[in-house]
Amino acid sequence: MDGTVTVLVGTTKGAFLIDGGTERTGWHVRGPFCEGWPINHVVGDAESGTIWAGGGSAWNGAGIWRSSDQGESWQVTRLTRGTTDDWAENDLDFSAMIGYEPVELPFGSDFQQIWSIGIGQGGLYAGTKPASLLQSRDGGKSWTRVEGLSHHPSAESWNPGAAGLVLHTILTDRERPSHLWCGISAAGVFASEDGGETWERRNRMSNAESCAHHDHPAAPRDGETGHCVHNMVRAPGDNELIYQQNHHGVWKSRDGGRSWEDINAGLPSTFGFPIHVHPRDPDTIWTLPLNGDMLGRFPPDAAAAVWRSRDGGESWQACRDGLPQEGCFFTVLRQAMAGDRRDPAGVYFGTNSGSVFASFDEGDHWQEIARHLPTILSVEVLDCS
C-alpha cells in the first residue's frame, strides 16, 4: 500500500472516506457511498486495502458492502429482506422503477441491521441487530451464523438496551485466532477460546463490594459490572488486557474479561460510549464522557474533552485544546472513536452533529478535519503505513 491514512466513517446516510495522505494533512472527504444506506460500521484491511461497510434498515434489510479499490467501487452482499422487497414483489411498477430482481437471501427476515464488523485470522465477523454473530471465510461474499453464541444458555434472558439488542463490539486476537470477544447491549461480554464453538459470559467484578451502593438501573450489582456494555478494546502486546466503557463506568480486565475492576475514579461522569487504546502502549487509553444518560448525553458543562490516562486508568487528564468549550451539545457514539498507528499516534472521533475531530499528538491538541456530515455512527482508520 502507499502509506496513506484514511478515516472510515459510517453515517445515517452512507459511508464516507476522509483522506489525509501520507502526512495526515489536507484532509479530503469522499462519499457518500453504499447508496445512502445507514452504515453502522466501516472497517479496512491495511494489507489488502479492502474496505467493508455494514448496515441496513427496515427498508433496505441488512447487508455488507465491499470495496477492493479504496472506495472507487462497491458491491453489496444482502443478507436479509427489507420493506423494499415486499413492495417490489407486490407492485410491478415500483419493481420496474428500481430495477428489482428477486433473490433468495440467506437469513430471511432474521435481523434488520449489521452493527459491527471484525477482522480476524479466521476471516471476517459481523454483529447484527437483534444480536447474533456471523462469520465469513471468503472475504465477505458469503456468511454463516456462529450458532454457539446464538444458543448460549443465557440467550433467552438477554435484554435490549435503548438502541435494541445489538452485538456492537467484536474483538479478535492475531496471536490466538481461536479467541474471540463480543459485546452485546444489554447482555454483557462474551468470550470464546475455540473459534466460536462455545462461549463464556464474562461480567464478574474483581471486587464485588467496590460498586455496591449504586442505585442506577444499569449499575453493577450481584457481583457483576452491569450488562449494558457500550464498547470494548483490547490492549496491544502479549496480555489479556481489555478496557470497557459501560453504561455505568469505565472498566479494566487483566484476564481476558474473567474479572473487571472499576477505573472510573477521576472522570467527570460514569456515562459515555467509546473507548480507545494506544496501538503500542497498553496503559494509554482515551474516552469521551458525557453528562449522563438522562441529562441530554452531551459533554459535561457543554464543554468537550477527551479524557486520557497514561497509567491504565489510575489517573485521568482532560484534553481540551482545539475542542469546543462553550455550547457543545454533541454526542459521540460507541463506535465513533479510533486511532492510527503512527508515532505519535493519531486519535479521531466523530459526532452526531457531523464533525470529525483529530489529534496527531495523542490528545494534546485537536482540530476539526471534516464537518457537516450526516449523523456519524462509527469511525475507524485505515492506516497503510
Side-chain angles (χ1 to χ4, degrees):
M1 299 300 293
D2 56 6
T4 60
V5 172
T6 300
V7 181
L8 313 176
V9 183
T11 82
T12 53
K13 298 181 181 180
F16 292 80
L17 308 183
I18 310 175
D19 300 314
T22 59
E23 302 298 325
R24 301 186 294 190
T25 59
W27 295 92
H28 173 68
V29 177
R30 290 187 286 140
F33 301 113
C34 308
E35 296 183 3
W37 280 34
I39 296 296
N40 290 312
H41 201 200
V42 189
V43 301
D45 176 21
E47 294 182 4
S48 68
T50 304
I51 302 170
W52 295 270
S57 64
W59 174 253
N60 302 111
I64 296 177
W65 295 78
R66 182 179 66 259
S67 175
S68 57
D69 53 13
Q70 297 184 321
E72 293 300 317
S73 62
W74 295 80
Q75 301 79 42
V76 64
T77 298
R78 294 191 61 213
L79 299 174
T80 61
R81 292 172 58 87
T83 304
T84 183
D85 296 278
D86 298 331
W87 281 26
E89 291 173 4
N90 291 284
D91 186 331
L92 294 180
D93 291 337
F94 177 72
S95 178
M97 181 181 71
I98 66 172
Y100 179 78
E101 295 183 6
V103 60
E104 190 72 22
L105 297 173
F107 299 98
S109 301
D110 289 357
F111 49 85
Q112 290 185 347
Q113 294 180 326
I114 298 297
W115 261 67
S116 54
I117 304 175
I119 303 175
Q121 296 298 95
L124 290 175
Y125 296 92
T128 71
K129 173 187 176 180
S132 65
L133 182 66
L134 310 180
Q135 183 177 25
S136 174
R137 297 187 181 275
D138 58 8
K141 297 176 184 177
S142 64
W143 296 82
T144 58
R145 196 190 309 270
V146 179
E147 299 289 354
L149 182 59
S150 297
H151 295 152
H152 191 273
S154 68
E156 291 187 0
S157 69
W158 296 352
N159 292 313
L165 185 65
V166 295
L167 196 159
H168 53 67
T169 302
I170 303 168
L171 304 180
T172 62
D173 187 335
R174 179 177 290 272
E175 303 302 322
R176 299 175 298 172
S178 61
H179 286 226
L180 300 167
W181 294 261
C182 293
I184 300 176
S185 182
V189 179
F190 293 82
S192 174
E193 297 183 356
D194 55 15
E197 291 294 320
T198 61
W199 293 80
E200 180 182 8
R201 200 175 190 181
R202 294 183 178 176
N203 300 298
R204 183 174 64 85
M205 292 191 297
S206 58
N207 180 0
E209 292 301 315
S210 65
C211 294
H213 306 295
H214 293 285
D215 57 5
H216 190 281
R221 58 172 46 83
D222 301 324
E224 294 193 331
T225 61
H227 296 165
C228 196
V229 52
H230 281 178
N231 190 243
M232 295 190 301
V233 288
R234 283 193 63 240
D238 184 17
N239 57 61
E240 289 202 298
L241 181 58
I242 300 176
Y243 295 98
Q244 173 191 160
Q245 172 67 67
N246 195 285
H247 190 107
H248 200 77
V250 181
W251 299 80
K252 173 181 179 178
S253 174
R254 306 172 193 266
D255 53 16
R258 294 175 181 85
S259 63
W260 296 89
E261 58 187 280
D262 181 358
I263 57 170
N264 207 79
L267 291 173
S269 80
T270 58
F271 185 81
F273 286 110
I275 192 163
H276 177 61
V277 65
H278 194 283
R280 292 171 295 278
D281 179 4
D283 291 324
T284 296
I285 50 178
W286 297 265
T287 189
L288 205 153
L290 303 175
N291 63 345
D293 59 350
M294 304 295 287
L295 298 173
R297 301 189 175 195
F298 53 82
D301 301 319
V306 173
W307 288 72
R308 180 181 63 199
S309 176
R310 295 288 199 185
D311 52 17
E314 293 295 320
S315 61
W316 295 91
Q317 172 193 9
C319 302
R320 301 181 182 274
D321 191 347
L323 297 177
Q325 295 303 293
E326 294 183 4
C328 179
F329 300 101
F330 60 53
T331 295
V332 178
L333 297 174
R334 72 180 82 237
Q335 291 163 285
M337 178 181 281
D340 62 37
R341 302 188 60 82
R342 303 298 170 98
D343 188 11
V347 185
Y348 308 78
F349 71 86
T351 73
N352 68 338
S353 54
S355 292
V356 177
F357 290 91
S359 171
F360 308 118
D361 53 13
E362 305 192 352
D364 287 340
H365 307 89
W366 295 87
Q367 60 182 271
E368 189 179 37
I369 63 171
R371 64 176 59 178
H372 306 317
L373 295 177
T375 297
I376 294 174
L377 304 176
S378 71
V379 170
E380 297 286 356
V381 180
L382 181 59
D383 185 352
C384 297
S385 58

